[in-house]
mmCIF file of all heavy atoms in Angstrom:
data_model
loop_
_atom_site.group_PDB
_atom_site.id
_atom_site.type_symbol
_atom_site.label_atom_id
_atom_site.label_comp_id
_atom_site.label_asym_id
_atom_site.label_seq_id
_atom_site.Cartn_x
_atom_site.Cartn_y
_atom_site.Cartn_z
ATOM 1 N N ILE A 826 1.522 0.269 -26.264
ATOM 2 C CA ILE A 826 1.882 -0.837 -27.167
ATOM 3 C C ILE A 826 0.980 -2.047 -26.934
ATOM 4 O O ILE A 826 0.404 -2.599 -27.878
ATOM 5 C CB ILE A 826 3.366 -1.218 -26.972
ATOM 6 C CG1 ILE A 826 4.261 -0.089 -27.479
ATOM 7 C CG2 ILE A 826 3.682 -2.519 -27.722
ATOM 8 C CD1 ILE A 826 5.735 -0.322 -27.220
ATOM 9 N N TYR A 827 0.861 -2.447 -25.666
ATOM 10 C CA TYR A 827 0.048 -3.625 -25.361
ATOM 11 C C TYR A 827 -1.431 -3.369 -25.639
ATOM 12 O O TYR A 827 -2.155 -4.264 -26.088
ATOM 13 C CB TYR A 827 0.237 -4.047 -23.900
ATOM 14 C CG TYR A 827 1.540 -4.761 -23.645
ATOM 15 C CD1 TYR A 827 2.637 -4.107 -23.094
ATOM 16 C CD2 TYR A 827 1.673 -6.109 -23.959
ATOM 17 C CE1 TYR A 827 3.832 -4.773 -22.862
ATOM 18 C CE2 TYR A 827 2.869 -6.788 -23.721
ATOM 19 C CZ TYR A 827 3.944 -6.105 -23.173
ATOM 20 O OH TYR A 827 5.124 -6.759 -22.950
ATOM 21 N N GLY A 828 -1.870 -2.149 -25.375
ATOM 22 C CA GLY A 828 -3.268 -1.814 -25.654
ATOM 23 C C GLY A 828 -3.575 -1.879 -27.137
ATOM 24 O O GLY A 828 -4.597 -2.434 -27.552
ATOM 25 N N THR A 829 -2.666 -1.311 -27.942
ATOM 26 C CA THR A 829 -2.845 -1.358 -29.397
ATOM 27 C C THR A 829 -2.842 -2.795 -29.899
ATOM 28 O O THR A 829 -3.662 -3.181 -30.750
ATOM 29 C CB THR A 829 -1.724 -0.562 -30.094
ATOM 30 O OG1 THR A 829 -1.750 0.796 -29.636
ATOM 31 C CG2 THR A 829 -1.907 -0.576 -31.604
ATOM 32 N N ALA A 830 -1.920 -3.592 -29.367
ATOM 33 C CA ALA A 830 -1.841 -4.999 -29.770
ATOM 34 C C ALA A 830 -3.132 -5.734 -29.424
ATOM 35 O O ALA A 830 -3.666 -6.508 -30.230
ATOM 36 C CB ALA A 830 -0.650 -5.674 -29.091
ATOM 37 N N ALA A 831 -3.657 -5.486 -28.220
ATOM 38 C CA ALA A 831 -4.881 -6.162 -27.796
ATOM 39 C C ALA A 831 -6.065 -5.781 -28.679
ATOM 40 O O ALA A 831 -6.866 -6.641 -29.080
ATOM 41 C CB ALA A 831 -5.192 -5.819 -26.335
ATOM 42 N N VAL A 832 -6.164 -4.487 -29.001
ATOM 43 C CA VAL A 832 -7.270 -4.031 -29.854
ATOM 44 C C VAL A 832 -7.194 -4.663 -31.240
ATOM 45 O O VAL A 832 -8.204 -5.143 -31.792
ATOM 46 C CB VAL A 832 -7.259 -2.493 -29.969
ATOM 47 C CG1 VAL A 832 -8.237 -2.026 -31.046
ATOM 48 C CG2 VAL A 832 -7.619 -1.864 -28.632
ATOM 49 N N LEU A 833 -5.991 -4.694 -31.823
ATOM 50 C CA LEU A 833 -5.835 -5.275 -33.156
ATOM 51 C C LEU A 833 -6.145 -6.776 -33.161
ATOM 52 O O LEU A 833 -6.740 -7.297 -34.106
ATOM 53 C CB LEU A 833 -4.413 -5.034 -33.668
ATOM 54 C CG LEU A 833 -4.093 -3.592 -34.072
ATOM 55 C CD1 LEU A 833 -2.630 -3.457 -34.466
ATOM 56 C CD2 LEU A 833 -4.986 -3.151 -35.224
ATOM 57 N N ILE A 834 -5.744 -7.462 -32.096
ATOM 58 C CA ILE A 834 -6.022 -8.902 -32.008
ATOM 59 C C ILE A 834 -7.530 -9.153 -31.922
ATOM 60 O O ILE A 834 -8.064 -10.049 -32.574
ATOM 61 C CB ILE A 834 -5.295 -9.511 -30.801
ATOM 62 C CG1 ILE A 834 -3.779 -9.525 -31.055
ATOM 63 C CG2 ILE A 834 -5.778 -10.937 -30.533
ATOM 64 C CD1 ILE A 834 -2.952 -9.970 -29.871
ATOM 65 N N VAL A 835 -8.212 -8.342 -31.092
ATOM 66 C CA VAL A 835 -9.667 -8.487 -30.978
ATOM 67 C C VAL A 835 -10.350 -8.209 -32.313
ATOM 68 O O VAL A 835 -11.265 -8.932 -32.726
ATOM 69 C CB VAL A 835 -10.215 -7.538 -29.879
ATOM 70 C CG1 VAL A 835 -11.740 -7.509 -29.920
ATOM 71 C CG2 VAL A 835 -9.737 -7.983 -28.507
ATOM 72 N N LEU A 836 -9.895 -7.157 -33.007
ATOM 73 C CA LEU A 836 -10.476 -6.833 -34.311
ATOM 74 C C LEU A 836 -10.236 -7.947 -35.318
ATOM 75 O O LEU A 836 -11.107 -8.250 -36.153
ATOM 76 C CB LEU A 836 -9.876 -5.514 -34.826
ATOM 77 C CG LEU A 836 -10.281 -4.247 -34.064
ATOM 78 C CD1 LEU A 836 -9.546 -3.036 -34.619
ATOM 79 C CD2 LEU A 836 -11.790 -4.030 -34.133
ATOM 80 N N ALA A 837 -9.047 -8.577 -35.229
ATOM 81 C CA ALA A 837 -8.751 -9.673 -36.147
ATOM 82 C C ALA A 837 -9.635 -10.885 -35.850
ATOM 83 O O ALA A 837 -10.126 -11.551 -36.762
ATOM 84 C CB ALA A 837 -7.278 -10.061 -36.048
#
Side-chain angles (χ1 to χ4, degrees):
I826 291 175
Y827 284 100
T829 301
V832 170
L833 288 176
I834 290 174
V835 170
L836 291 176

